[in-house]
Amino acid sequence: MMVVYATTEDLADFLITIPVWSGAERHLRQASEDIDDLLIGAVYDVDANQMPTDPRIREAVKRATCAQAHFIQTGGDETGAKSGFSSVSVGGVSYSRSSQVTIGSGRASQEFSPRTLRILHVEGLLPVRPRTRSGGSGAP
């Protein structure tokens, strides 16, 4: 079952002054898949619909989904085909961006919005520091 973490109403609330565009529902579905990819290894409780039960986590995932949907829309790259380009020139117009974004001590490619990564990082949802236990002491 595919989980979509935000609605077009959530997107409108997130963007405030930017109108929701045609195709936003599709972008929210794609963004939700991206969020699922980023959250592999994250541990949190979910309900029967696979939505986070903790209101703080649910809100962070919703905001990150909205940021990622906007990133997909503004980048015009729904399939990720352009992700390998760092510089493009057509006629007198040139567009460049760095090939990687740094969040904390980790790195992520251009396929994720910097705002999306920051929201998940600040809320402690990016599984960048594994928790381990040693020797059965019971202490983390």
Side-chain angles (χ1 to χ4, degrees), residues 16-64:
I16 302 172
T17 61
I18 301 170
V20 173
W21 56 92
S22 173
E25 289 177 352
R26 183 179 69 255
H27 293 148
L28 287 167
R29 284 191 305 275
Q30 291 171 315
S32 294
E33 290 175 340
D34 291 346
I35 299 304
D36 281 343
D37 185 25
L38 288 169
L39 295 180
I40 290 173
V43 179
Y44 54 90
D45 294 325
V46 296
D47 62 19
N49 296 319
Q50 300 302 305
M51 295 294 282
T53 56
D54 182 313
R56 180 186 63 82
I57 292 174
R58 184 183 288 236
E59 181 65 19
V61 170
K62 177 176 69 175
R63 287 177 27 242

Side-chain angles (χ1 to χ4, degrees), residues 2 12 38 80 86 90 120 132 136:
M2 164 123 182
L38 288 169
S86 62
V90 177
L120 296 176
T132 61

Side-chain angles (χ1 to χ4, degrees), residues 100-108 117 121 126 128-129:
Q100 293 195 336
V101 176
T102 302
I103 299 294
S105 60
R107 290 182 149 314
L117 295 170
H121 176 73
L126 287 180
V128 294
R129 293 186 186 98

Side-chain angles (χ1 to χ4, degrees), residues 68-91:
Q68 185 66 13
H70 186 239
F71 181 76
I72 291 168
Q73 190 268 338
T74 57
D77 189 18
E78 294 183 32
T79 65
K82 297 178 190 174
S83 65
F85 297 109
S86 62
S87 178
V88 176
S89 296
V90 177

